[in-house]
Amino acid sequence: DTAVSQTPKYLVTQMGNDKSIKCEQNLGHDTMYWYKQDSKKFLKIMFSYNNKELIINETVPNRFSPKSPDKAHLNLHINSLELGDSAVYFCASSHRSSGTPGYTFGSGTRLTVV
Amino acid sequence: QQPVQSPQAVILREGEDAVINCSSSKALYSVHWYRQKHGEAPVFLMILLKGGEQKGHDKISASFNEKKQQSSLYLTASQLSYSGTYFCGTEIDSNYQLIWGAGTKLIIKP
């Protein structure tokens, strides 16, 4: 069973469009994250969501909005896509008191804005 | 503050050893280490909590010097499968929010 699954794996879209990326985890973790990884491989935290508390990275444009219907899901909606949004987006989850204390990442969504 | 990883990149022959360092300007609660292979997601290797403990599995181990706010990852007798980019993630306030280093690219040649 996939622990953290993201869909879609690839997303090619035009500037100005709105798109969503879905993430689901079946690990029972209580915290979920969205990361952006650019071409230089730097991992930039965008959002973390723990027990209905949303922590926002202030540098993230408000075109990006996370939505968490429940603890197992954290989706990312992006409005008015720009060329600079092209990157790989990773969802991750964690639970400090679990047997696996590290973050578990999804396989990533490669977003290309043309 | 983003932790500083060094070196930025290293090229080794199979069987050689490598050390990757991660330094922070702030007191740390824990340090995580992850490996990311090309085109894949980062994978958790180990976590070190403050207390100066050393951890390891197989031929990969790490240490954490709480006083120096520094962690080092040791790869012994490197294998081809060790190739990838290694990231440290530092935790300051025990809130499980990690601040990531820029990564160290490790290339292992036969």
Side-chain angles (χ1 to χ4, degrees):
Chain A
D1 283 343
T2 303
V4 180
S5 59
Q6 287 181 234
T7 54
K9 190 169 178 63
Y10 299 96
L11 187 53
V12 181
T13 187
Q14 290 186 329
M15 282 175 53
N17 284 350
D18 302 339
K19 291 293 179 185
S20 292
I21 306 172
K22 295 185 176 182
C23 179
E24 176 182 3
Q25 55 97 1
N26 62 4
L27 298 167
H29 287 174
D30 61 2
T31 306
M32 296 184 72
Y33 313 82
W34 277 110
Y35 279 91
K36 178 182 181 181
Q37 188 173 46
D38 59 25
S39 57
K40 294 184 178 180
K41 299 295 187 183
F42 180 60
L43 281 165
K44 177 185 175 183
I45 179 70
M46 301 178 72
F47 305 102
S48 66
Y49 212 102
N50 175 275
N51 292 325
K52 298 187 179 180
E53 180 186 1
L54 176 64
I55 302 171
I56 300 174
N57 182 325
E58 293 179 0
T59 64
V60 176
N62 57 15
R63 298 182 295 104
F64 291 79
S65 56
K67 298 190 193 308
S68 180
D70 55 55
K71 285 174 62 174
H73 297 83
L74 182 62
N75 304 322
L76 183 65
H77 188 76
I78 315 169
N79 289 326
S80 304
L81 278 156
E82 300 177 356
L83 293 176
D85 298 333
S86 295
V88 179
Y89 291 84
F90 286 104
C91 175
S93 70
S94 70
H95 191 126
R96 181 182 286 286
S97 58
S98 76
T100 305
Y103 286 22
T104 302
F105 284 82
S107 58
T109 296
R110 182 173 292 276
L111 172 65
T112 303
V113 182
V114 297
Chain B
Q1 263 78 356
Q2 180 184 5
V4 177
Q5 282 189 238
S6 62
Q8 289 185 333
V10 59
I11 301 174
L12 298 175
R13 291 285 181 190
E14 202 173 2
E16 294 180 337
D17 301 341
V19 180
I20 300 171
N21 298 305
C22 176
S23 296
S24 173
S25 59
K26 295 199 171 188
L28 299 176
Y29 180 81
S30 76
V31 179
H32 292 219
W33 285 99
Y34 293 75
R35 176 172 62 210
Q36 183 179 28
K37 292 183 177 289
H38 182 70
E40 299 181 7
V43 174
F44 173 72
L45 294 176
M46 63 189 77
I47 180 174
L48 299 103
L49 300 176
K50 64 178 181 179
E53 63 179 291
Q54 183 152 351
K55 280 197 168 184
H57 61 88
D58 197 10
K59 295 177 181 176
I60 300 176
S61 62
S63 63
F64 179 24
N65 187 320
E66 184 184 343
K67 291 182 180 178
K68 292 186 177 180
Q69 294 113 46
Q70 179 177 319
S71 178
S72 295
L73 185 71
Y74 307 94
L75 299 104
T76 306
S78 56
Q79 306 168 14
L80 294 175
S81 62
Y82 288 359
S83 292
T85 300
Y86 289 77
F87 292 95
C88 68
T90 56
E91 181 186 13
I92 296 173
D93 297 326
S94 72
N95 59 3
Y96 226 47
Q97 303 294 325
L98 296 183
I99 305 171
W100 297 84
T104 295
K105 187 170 185 177
L106 177 64
I107 299 172
I108 310 293
K109 295 188 173 182

